Amino acid sequence: MKVLVIGSGAREHALCRSLSLDPAVTALHCAPGNAGIAEVAELHQVDALDGAAVTGLARALAADLVVVGPEAPLVAGVADAVREAGIPCFGPSREAARLEGSKAFAKDVMAGAGVPTARSYVCTTDEEIDEALDAFGAPYVVKDDGLAAGKGVVVTGDVEEARAHARACGRVVIEEFLDGPEVSLFAVTDGETVVPLRPAQDFKRALDGDEGPNTGGMGAYSPLPWADPKLVDEVLETVLQPTVDELRRRGTPFSGLLYAGLAITSRGVRVIEFNARFGDPETQVVLARLKTPLAGVLLAAADGTLADLPPLRWSDDAAVTVVVASHNYPGTPRTGDPVEGLDEVAERDAPHAYVLHAGTRRDGDAVVSAGGRVLSVTATGSDLAEARERAYAAVARIRLDGSQHRTDIAEKAARGL
């Protein structure tokens, strides 16, 4: 099988790493990729938002499967263009991807499917914003209705900060605050059959102790030793399957990766948000634990044969990812700094720990930073404590001027708290 992956982040590096280990994959391509992906896949330049360009590349490569990683190409309809050319594509249509592209659309789908979620208001005027903020009170949860690369949500006790964010968004969803721990659960679906993956937890805030600004994610771990063993079955029954059924009923079937961001509240499981693609950095830890070869799973979702697939096989090992971010992230990041120590990690920490590249590029013989989140250092171990120890040992070998990372990823879970 020849596979083309679209994207350039650590999520795509995790996908390419897993695909490169799949014996069924005879050729692996990525566009545009990054410095790390170049070690496992052949890179190509393409405008990831241009469906015709992506389709043209897939045709030229005789790709048997195209995997669209990021949300923006999905919302732009890239998967539609690839499928119309007769090439199997993993990723939802433009219409179905509105589940992520519009928070208001997602709320409407959840209402139709009877999926438990936070009460909310969709606001477009200053008056509606003020009324919604008054109705819910602090802490305020304000979400940009459109795509915002994981950074369009503000959760704050400061009403002026909430109001300022809401007014800057244009169309905004304001909702009640959901208490309790958060869980990310991915599911692969072909529009009918839904196959859940293993749950993970990520860390959105920039600083230790969940302080600082919201980010795209500073780390993740899996499994969740504190979670109810029945959680995945419950979410499949009350959230994932009803959502997929509702979208099919509306004539916009969803095939690809459905990501449910969940709050385990005192009143039960509630959906915080849906995404229409693998989440970053949770993908890094979930795929680290998947033993079933990945390409066949993605192809079965793309061609509607998931029901024929045997149950997925999983490692009992734990996995932890720590994100190394550039100076000033999540503000305007400093780029162009040399990244050193990658060879040391490969020599001394493999196979239990490895580096997945996010914002990197080649500059001659050097790897330099090229974005806010630069690397995802991922490690496995017999339990979370061992995986964590291995991840941070590898992080300590990496040198990137001005870089930052959290030191408390999976710490509480590893200690049984």
Side-chain angles (χ1 to χ4, degrees):
M1 192 190 309
K2 296 177 184 174
V3 182
L4 169 62
V5 176
I6 303 300
S8 61
R11 159 189 47 228
E12 286 77 35
H13 194 175
L15 287 164
C16 285
R17 180 182 182 272
S18 291
L19 290 165
S20 73
L21 298 172
D22 186 335
V25 176
T26 52
L28 181 59
H29 303 270
C30 186
N34 62 39
I37 295 173
E39 296 173 13
V40 295
E42 184 180 338
L43 301 192
H44 305 268
Q45 281 304 311
V46 76
D47 179 352
L49 299 177
D50 184 337
V54 172
T55 301
L57 177 61
R59 274 200 176 117
L61 297 172
D64 301 298
L65 174 66
V66 175
V67 179
V68 182
E71 59 273 26
L74 293 168
V75 172
V78 168
D80 304 79
V82 173
R83 270 193 287 270
E84 282 165 16
I87 302 168
C89 185
F90 182 82
S93 66
R94 182 204 304 263
E95 279 299 305
R98 289 179 65 209
L99 204 59
E100 176 168 5
S102 168
K103 304 290 187 297
F105 176 75
K107 288 288 187 184
D108 188 59
V109 171
M110 283 188 267
V115 168
T117 186
R119 292 180 298 119
S120 64
Y121 294 104
V122 179
C123 306
T124 54
T125 68
D126 290 355
E127 292 74 20
E128 289 172 344
I129 288 166
D130 290 342
E131 285 176 20
L133 293 173
D134 287 345
F136 289 129
Y140 304 98
V141 181
V142 183
K143 299 181 176 182
D144 191 331
D145 181 51
L147 291 181
K151 296 187 281 288
V153 180
V154 164
V155 181
T156 179
D158 183 340
V159 70
E160 290 307 322
E161 183 186 358
R163 185 176 288 122
H165 181 66
R167 288 178 175 173
C169 290
R171 182 174 170 156
V172 68
V173 175
I174 296 174
E175 63 184 40
E176 67 176 325
F177 177 77
L178 296 174
D179 63 335
E182 294 185 12
V183 173
S184 299
L185 184 61
F186 302 161
V188 175
T189 177
D190 57 10
E192 292 193 31
T193 301
V194 182
V195 178
L197 307 186
R198 289 287 188 261
Q201 186 174 59
D202 77 329
F203 294 77
K204 286 279 193 287
R205 298 283 184 173
L207 306 176
D208 285 5
D210 289 327
E211 299 289 332
N214 235 20
T215 72
M218 294 298 291
Y221 69 93
S222 178
L224 312 181
W226 48 267
D228 187 327
K230 301 191 196 77
L231 176 65
V232 173
D233 290 340
E234 180 190 341
V235 175
L236 175 62
E237 186 180 325
T238 63
V239 174
L240 299 169
Q241 191 70 57
T243 300
V244 169
D245 291 345
E246 172 68 10
L247 284 164
R248 190 174 69 253
R249 186 188 68 76
R250 292 175 176 223
T252 54
F254 186 108
S255 77
L257 195 290
L258 179 58
Y259 163 126
L262 309 164
I264 313 301
T265 76
S266 52
R267 293 174 293 144
V269 174
R270 297 288 184 273
V271 174
I272 300 169
E273 65 174 355
F274 283 126
N275 289 339
R277 38 74 196 182
F278 279 102
D280 182 344
E282 300 97 320
T283 301
Q284 289 86 300
V285 291
V286 173
L287 291 186
R289 301 184 59 218
L290 178 65
K291 291 174 76 172
T292 300
L294 182 61
V297 178
L298 304 186
L299 183 61
D303 65 15
T305 58
L306 264 183
D308 303 332
L309 215 61
L312 299 182
R313 294 180 294 111
W314 295 92
S315 167
D316 292 330
D317 281 356
V320 171
T321 281
V322 179
V323 170
V324 177
S326 56
H327 178 72
N328 200 42
Y329 179 76
T332 303
R334 194 172 81 200
T335 59
D337 290 309
V339 181
E340 299 175 324
L342 297 172
D343 291 341
E344 290 175 46
V345 175
E347 288 166 14
R348 301 176 64 175
D349 299 293
H352 300 299
Y354 48 89
V355 177
L356 297 168
H357 292 233
T360 67
R361 62 178 173 83
R362 280 265 169 208
D363 184 4
D365 292 335
V367 173
V368 299
S369 61
R373 291 186 293 177
V374 181
L375 306 169
S376 284
V377 180
T378 303
T380 56
S382 58
D383 56 21
L384 283 173
E386 185 176 46
R388 205 173 166 274
E389 188 179 314
R390 287 170 170 170
Y392 279 106
V395 168
R397 302 193 206 284
I398 291 167
R399 297 175 298 283
L400 171 62
D401 188 45
S403 68
Q404 55 175 317
H405 66 270
R406 283 184 57 159
T407 65
D408 62 349
I409 303 300
E411 183 179 30
K412 287 183 178 177
R415 288 167 40 209
L417 300 176

